[in-house]
Amino acid sequence: MAADLSALLNASKALTSHLSRPDLPSVNLSLDQIEAQSRRLVSRQPGTSADTSRANYLLAQAHVDASALSNSIAHLNTQSTFSPLQALQDTDVAGYLRHAHEQNLISTIEEGRRETQEEFYRVLEDRSRRDWEARKKRVFEQLGARVGGENRAVAELKKSTHGKSLLSTSVGPSPNLQMQSKMMAYDRVVAELNTARLRGTSFPVVHAFVRAASSVSSDPQTLQTAQNFHILSKITGEPPSLPPVSHAGAHILNAPLMERKFARAHLGDPESRDAIELRRQIAKGAREALEEQYMDVLERTLQARATEARLGGDPSVANKIRAYVLVRHYRGGQWDDRIDIVAGQPLWAKLFYLVRTGNAEAALEEATKFQSAIEHRESNFLSHFRAWVESPDRRLPKPHRDQLHAAYNAHMLHSSSADPFKLALYKLMGKIDPARRSVPQVTVTTEDWLWFQLAMVDEDEFGGLRGLAEVLLSYGERHFDGVPGQKGSKRGVWAGVLLMCGQFERAVAALWDHPETEVEAVHLAIALAYHGLLRVPSRAETSDVTPLTLSPVSSPALSLSTLIWRYVRQFVKMDAREALQYVYCVCLSSDQPGGVGKEQVENAWELVRRIIVLANTGAAWEELVGGFRPDGTRFPGAIEQSAPLLKLEDSREYNEHILIRAAKSSEEADRIPEAIKLYNLAGDYATVIGVLAHALGNTIAQPSIDEKARAIERTAADILRHYERTNRAVGKERDAVVRLLRVREAMDAKDAGRVETALELMESTDLIPMDADVAKITKRAEEFRELPDALQRNLQTFLTLTMDILAAVHQKVKNSSLPDVLRQSTLASLRKKSRSLIIFAGNLKYRMSPDVYSYLARLDVEIAL
């Protein structure tokens, strides 16, 4: 038995004899000894060492050959990593193919993983950059400038508010001249829109925006903007114009309103019949817009290349298409490759271009002329084509589709010589293989490709328009707009693409993301909201960083109020009336369900209040909020006249939600005259007097009077005269205002050297008793605590002012040339008044500064001498 075990041990050692080295000791330890040795090695080491030599030494003590392992790794040959586990014979074709197939799968998976990783990091970097740009833009807007620094408007605002926060009311930088011209052109359209809304009539807002854009410039960006609005006009079916109110135009003005026409379908259940019909209309309208655009391109091409076109005197569409095909596909005396000539005509190309330009009926007439030649080549094509053209939704019945698919698969699918235009016609009619989204030589431009996608869309198959939208979103903006600054890049194409696939909120956000198209973004959003094609988020979902709200469980939404405020804040101080016109558009979404519509109305009210607080004062400000005529009658302002646009039912709601709350904001912003006027307009007379008293109390305590304080005093005097005449706000507060105004008059008289008048004015306030009746003085001191706060907190001012006046009068009388008897009696009267003031001050239950008591006592001693 022992011999067998010894033989077994020797045999096991022989298995690894070729790996051993003579300079290293062999391992002759049991398992328990190896474990104990390992534990001792570990216990001796405080931590991991970075010293390679020390590590090798430790490993060698544990009988690990580190140098051999390093050498093996260095000479590792990875070329055979993916070689078959079993060698393949040269004649094993099946094995070789199986191995090649497996390696292709592995390579494809690895390449897909690498591309996915690269795309992930690219998207992550792009998203991070966008988020950073949005946050930076938001910060700069809050600071009042987009590129650092503080503009003049912000400096003026801080100066007027003494640096206090004002409802986040920083204003942006002034736009350049070109931008101002563009903004003014759009401003007029928005004002006309609101005028029509007040009248209860429809307004072609999209076409008006097209005309406004075209009137400013003719650069490529403006043309793209006009094209985007044109796409929207075709989607909404908006008429190009509405005549003014007249007998001839009465039938149009009495037509159903376009306002919020599509709101129910767009905002409701996406699976409802209305939503499906809306998506069909979007695809149809976008396709028609691209067809009209292509027809315009075709006619301009024929004009530019009239000699090649050889148009002749026939103005028909078919003749124009013939000439265009000649220009495009006939060169050097021969037609382009794969152009099939039927009866001497490039018939398939002519038919396709007729369909491409929206002249399908003309294409059917052209095909009928060459029926026999077509039937000889493609049997039953004409019957399929007729059924397709005459179908209202361009959808063939199943028998026709089955025959088309069979013909297509039989001799066109894999043919290298089939006419591309015939191929495109078959794909369009049968909606064949929609996953292959392009046809060589046919979908040449971006517009051609988009038109082809829209023509292939079927709401009953392959996801319809929403499926196309997912594909387009996967391509992203770079695929259509390009990279800014590079040749061929053009802003606005991506927004047009999103419009055509019904992603209206994303289209607006795509324009807003770029400073050069922000103006277009705002007005596109207004046009969409007018037609009910803009979804706004709830207040809880609204982001402070970006107007667009994306959620995995709901459709995209765009905050119209945020967009409009960031736009109008640039000119709100200088042109508040125009800013209001934009704010009125926020209420277009007031019918959105789920409480969101009500929040939009409240947002509009908040923006109106901000504009009131921010707007420059003067006659223009009163035109906004209203005011009083010299005879005391009240006249309404522009906001009150447009109250229906803000969903304000009556004057009570207008006063409560606009005037009073704007007055509170103005008061918090230290714009006291405006706050007083707003409270007065709202009929809150008690608050007017309270604010006046508080403001006058603050101005009395100021060491120096400024123009702002003077404005408060003038406003107080005007309102006080009106209230006394109408007997309003009678009580202690109004009496306090009267007393404070007289104190100010006394101050002015004292400064002007009219000390006797100043003393009479202070005595008329009846704030300080001066008749030397101790009992009466004590009683008045006790009653002083019941006076309004504006009087109580200015006690020190009243006492020192009165004592200064008494001292000045005393000095003047003492140095006068009055008869001695009169002078002595006057001085005695002044001493009595001075003594009464000291007694009054001593009886007051207020803690004043010791310096004040000392000052009063010193002047009293001077008067007594």
Side-chain angles (χ1 to χ4, degrees):
M1 184 66 181
D4 292 340
L5 291 176
S6 299
L8 182 61
L9 176 62
N10 293 330
S12 65
K13 289 181 179 180
L15 289 175
T16 58
S17 60
H18 64 287
L19 298 177
S20 63
R21 293 178 57 178
D23 55 335
L24 294 176
S26 60
V27 179
N28 295 314
L29 302 174
S30 65
L31 292 178
D32 292 338
Q33 290 173 324
I34 292 173
E35 181 181 5
Q37 183 71 13
S38 300
R39 292 184 183 279
R40 281 195 296 271
L41 286 172
V42 172
S43 63
R44 294 175 186 173
Q45 305 305 315
T48 303
S49 174
D51 189 352
T52 306
S53 60
R54 181 173 175 82
N56 290 339
Y57 174 75
L58 294 174
L59 291 172
Q61 281 187 332
H63 307 290
V64 175
D65 190 356
S67 59
L69 292 175
S70 299
N71 186 55
S72 299
I73 294 172
H75 293 84
L76 178 65
N77 183 11
T78 60
Q79 292 181 352
S80 60
T81 302
F82 297 101
S83 62
L85 296 178
Q86 296 180 353
L88 295 174
Q89 301 297 326
D90 293 342
T91 58
D92 188 1
V93 177
Y96 172 78
L97 292 176
R98 183 176 63 256
H99 174 69
H101 177 66
E102 292 174 353
Q103 295 306 307
N104 286 336
L105 288 178
I106 294 173
S107 300
T108 302
I109 292 172
E110 177 60 24
E111 184 177 354
R113 185 197 65 79
R114 180 179 54 80
E115 291 179 354
T116 302
Q117 184 178 12
E118 292 177 355
E119 179 68 13
F120 169 77
Y121 284 114
R122 189 192 66 78
V123 172
L124 180 63
E125 181 180 0
D126 186 63
R127 179 65 59 85
S128 300
R129 180 184 60 80
R130 285 178 176 272
D131 289 348
W132 165 241
E133 291 296 333
R135 290 181 181 276
K136 184 170 66 173
K137 181 178 178 180
R138 174 71 171 166
V139 170
F140 281 143
E141 286 176 350
Q142 291 293 338
L143 295 176
R146 293 189 187 178
V147 191
E150 186 173 83
N151 60 25
R152 184 181 301 174
V154 176
E156 292 177 355
L157 185 60
K158 286 190 174 183
K159 183 178 178 182
S160 65
T161 59
H162 300 284
K164 295 182 179 180
S165 174
L166 186 61
L167 293 171
S168 299
T169 52
S170 301
V171 289
S174 300
N176 56 39
L177 184 60
Q178 181 180 2
M179 187 69 71
Q180 285 181 350
S181 300
K182 184 194 300 185
M183 294 168 69
M184 290 175 64
Y186 284 120
D187 287 349
R188 289 189 288 270
V189 176
V190 175
E192 292 171 3
L193 168 65
N194 289 324
T195 301
R197 292 172 61 201
L198 281 173
R199 290 201 308 259
T201 59
S202 292
F203 182 75
V205 61
V206 181
H207 285 89
F209 282 146
V210 171
R211 291 190 290 271
S214 303
S215 66
V216 176
S217 175
S218 59
D219 58 9
Q221 182 175 309
T222 301
L223 295 177
Q224 182 60 48
T225 299
Q227 174 63 14
N228 289 346
F229 279 120
H230 179 62
I231 293 170
L232 182 58
S233 70
K234 302 300 291 186
I235 290 174
T236 59
E238 182 186 276
S241 63
L242 292 177
V245 179
S246 64
H247 181 71
H251 66 286
I252 296 181
L253 292 173
N254 293 329
L257 285 176
M258 294 183 291
E259 183 175 338
R260 308 297 291 173
K261 179 180 179 181
F262 302 103
R264 179 179 177 183
H266 183 66
L267 303 176
D269 182 6
E271 304 299 333
S272 66
R273 180 179 300 178
D274 290 340
I276 294 172
E277 289 301 318
L278 174 59
R279 290 195 290 273
R280 289 196 175 109
Q281 181 171 341
I282 292 170
K284 180 175 179 292
R287 190 180 70 245
E288 290 176 353
L290 290 173
E291 290 167 356
E292 292 183 5
Q293 181 193 32
Y294 197 79
M295 191 66 195
D296 182 63
V297 171
L298 183 148
E299 291 182 346
R300 285 191 278 112
T301 302
L302 295 180
Q303 291 176 3
R305 303 172 66 177
T307 304
E308 301 174 52
R310 291 178 284 179
L311 189 61
D314 183 4
S316 66
V317 174
N319 187 46
K320 291 180 179 179
I321 295 297
R322 178 202 60 76
Y324 182 71
V325 173
L326 190 66
V327 170
R328 284 286 306 274
H329 302 287
Y330 190 77
R331 296 179 181 85
Q334 60 182 0
W335 295 98
D336 291 347
D337 293 341
R338 298 177 61 186
I339 296 295
D340 192 4
I341 304 300
V342 180
Q345 299 280 334
L347 190 60
W348 304 116
K350 289 176 63 177
L351 294 180
F352 176 82
Y353 281 117
L354 283 168
V355 173
R356 175 68 179 85
T357 55
N359 296 284
E361 292 78 8
L364 180 60
E365 293 179 7
E366 188 75 9
T368 305
K369 292 179 184 178
F370 300 94
Q371 179 175 359
S372 59
I374 291 175
E375 292 295 334
H376 180 71
R377 303 267 186 120
E378 297 291 337
S379 60
N380 299 322
F381 171 83
L382 192 60
S383 63
H384 300 324
F385 191 56
R386 185 185 305 278
W388 182 71
V389 171
E390 294 177 350
S391 173
D393 56 355
R394 296 285 171 87
R395 180 179 172 85
L396 286 177
K398 190 175 186 304
H400 283 277
R401 292 188 67 180
D402 291 343
Q403 293 180 25
L404 270 176
H405 277 258
Y408 178 84
N409 293 330
H411 60 275
M412 275 185 278
L413 178 60
H414 300 293
S415 175
S416 59
S417 60
D419 189 301
F421 295 100
K422 179 173 69 173
L423 189 70
L425 287 171
Y426 268 81
K427 285 176 69 69
L428 287 175
M429 288 189 295
K431 292 183 169 43
I432 299 172
D433 195 9
R436 299 180 66 180
R437 299 183 177 276
S438 61
V439 178
Q441 295 182 255
V442 176
T443 54
V444 180
T445 66
T446 300
E447 289 76 10
D448 291 334
W449 186 86
L450 287 170
W451 177 86
F452 200 81
Q453 310 313 308
L454 292 166
M456 293 281 286
V457 162
D458 190 336
E459 283 302 313
D460 298 328
E461 296 179 356
F462 306 106
L465 189 64
R466 289 180 293 179
L468 175 60
E470 291 179 3
V471 173
L472 294 173
L473 288 172
S474 68
Y475 292 158
E477 182 177 7
R478 290 173 177 263
H479 187 83
F480 296 94
D481 275 2
V483 180
Q486 290 186 2
K487 185 178 180 181
S489 298
K490 185 168 61 173
R491 284 280 164 254
V493 176
W494 175 236
V497 171
L498 293 171
L499 281 177
M500 285 186 276
C501 61
Q503 297 292 311
F504 303 119
E505 296 81 7
R506 293 180 189 268
V508 176
L511 293 174
W512 182 257
D513 282 344
H514 306 286
E516 63 269 27
T517 54
E518 284 183 354
V519 177
E520 289 80 1
V522 173
H523 296 90
L524 177 61
I526 291 174
L528 289 168
Y530 179 74
H531 284 284
L533 293 173
L534 190 76
R535 180 181 290 100
V536 296
S538 65
R539 190 172 296 158
E541 296 173 328
T542 303
S543 170
D544 289 335
V545 177
T546 174
L548 184 66
T549 299
L550 299 176
S551 171
V553 296
S554 60
S555 301
L558 186 118
S559 177
L560 182 60
S561 59
T562 300
L563 207 69
I564 283 179
W565 177 246
R566 293 186 184 180
Y567 177 70
V568 302
R569 67 194 307 166
Q570 302 175 75
F571 54 86
V572 64
K573 283 177 66 68
M574 306 308 298
D575 201 347
R577 289 179 68 95
E578 294 299 334
L580 282 171
Q581 295 293 333
Y582 284 89
V583 172
Y584 297 152
C585 297
V586 175
C587 292
L588 283 168
S589 301
S590 62
D591 59 349
Q592 186 162 325
V596 178
K598 183 180 179 181
E599 290 179 351
Q600 295 305 302
V601 174
E602 293 173 352
N603 289 342
W605 294 345
E606 170 64 19
L607 296 185
V608 170
R609 295 192 293 266
R610 290 187 187 182
I611 291 174
I612 292 173
V613 175
L614 270 178
N616 288 332
T617 58
W621 187 81
E622 290 191 348
E623 290 179 4
L624 294 180
V625 299
F628 290 92
R629 300 182 181 91
D631 60 358
T633 58
R634 184 179 183 277
F635 63 87
I639 300 174
E640 189 173 2
Q641 293 172 354
S642 302
L645 299 179
L646 294 169
K647 307 302 177 183
L648 296 169
E649 301 296 334
D650 49 34
S651 59
R652 182 191 62 80
E653 288 191 354
Y654 172 70
N655 293 340
E656 177 184 351
H657 296 298
I658 303 298
L659 293 182
I660 292 178
R661 296 186 63 180
K664 292 179 181 178
S665 299
S666 297
E667 188 178 357
E668 292 171 358
D670 201 23
R671 299 188 66 174
I672 304 303
E674 291 79 13
I676 292 168
K677 291 178 181 178
L678 291 170
Y679 281 126
N680 192 32
L681 287 169
D684 193 353
Y685 307 121
T687 304
V688 170
I689 293 297
V691 173
L692 276 176
H694 181 80
L696 289 173
N698 291 339
T699 62
I700 291 294
Q702 291 178 5
S704 60
I705 190 71
D706 56 10
E707 182 57 34
K708 185 176 180 181
R710 291 296 186 190
I712 294 174
E713 291 168 5
R714 288 193 296 270
T715 302
D718 293 340
I719 289 179
L720 196 62
R721 282 193 297 270
H722 179 64
Y723 283 11
E724 288 174 348
R725 191 166 56 247
T726 56
N727 197 29
R728 288 174 176 165
V730 178
K732 292 182 178 180
E733 294 288 346
R734 197 177 85 174
D735 292 340
V737 173
V738 174
R739 290 175 168 179
L740 289 167
L741 286 175
R742 289 183 181 176
V743 170
R744 172 54 65 189
E745 291 181 34
M747 287 181 170
D748 295 339
K750 172 181 170 292
D751 294 339
R754 297 180 287 109
V755 291
E756 293 89 350
T757 303
L759 182 58
E760 291 176 3
L761 288 169
M762 286 305 300
E763 288 179 335
S764 68
T765 62
D766 201 24
L767 289 169
I768 301 171
M770 298 183 185
D771 52 5
D773 187 340
V774 177
K776 187 176 180 180
I777 293 173
T778 303
K779 182 179 180 182
R780 292 291 300 279
E782 293 176 353
E783 293 174 350
F784 194 84
R785 70 182 64 185
E786 299 177 3
L787 293 178
D789 178 71
L791 296 176
Q792 293 188 40
R793 55 191 168 87
N794 284 292
L795 174 61
Q796 294 185 174
T797 302
F798 301 151
L799 293 174
T800 55
L801 173 63
T802 305
M803 188 61 82
D804 285 340
I805 294 173
L806 287 172
V809 174
H810 177 270
Q811 189 66 28
K812 185 175 181 180
V813 172
K814 189 175 181 180
N815 298 329
S816 67
S817 58
L818 292 174
D820 186 63
V821 177
L822 180 58
R823 185 172 65 253
Q824 291 300 326
S825 63
T826 303
L827 292 175
S829 174
L830 292 173
R831 285 192 288 269
K832 182 175 70 172
K833 292 177 181 179
S834 174
R835 178 49 48 186
S836 299
L837 187 149
I838 292 296
I839 297 172
F840 178 73
N843 281 277
L844 289 170
K845 304 299 184 182
Y846 295 92
R847 297 182 60 182
M848 292 188 295
S849 171
D851 294 338
V852 174
Y853 286 111
S854 175
Y855 181 75
L856 294 176
R858 181 170 57 82
L859 289 183
D860 179 57
V861 171
E862 292 180 2
I863 293 172
L865 295 177

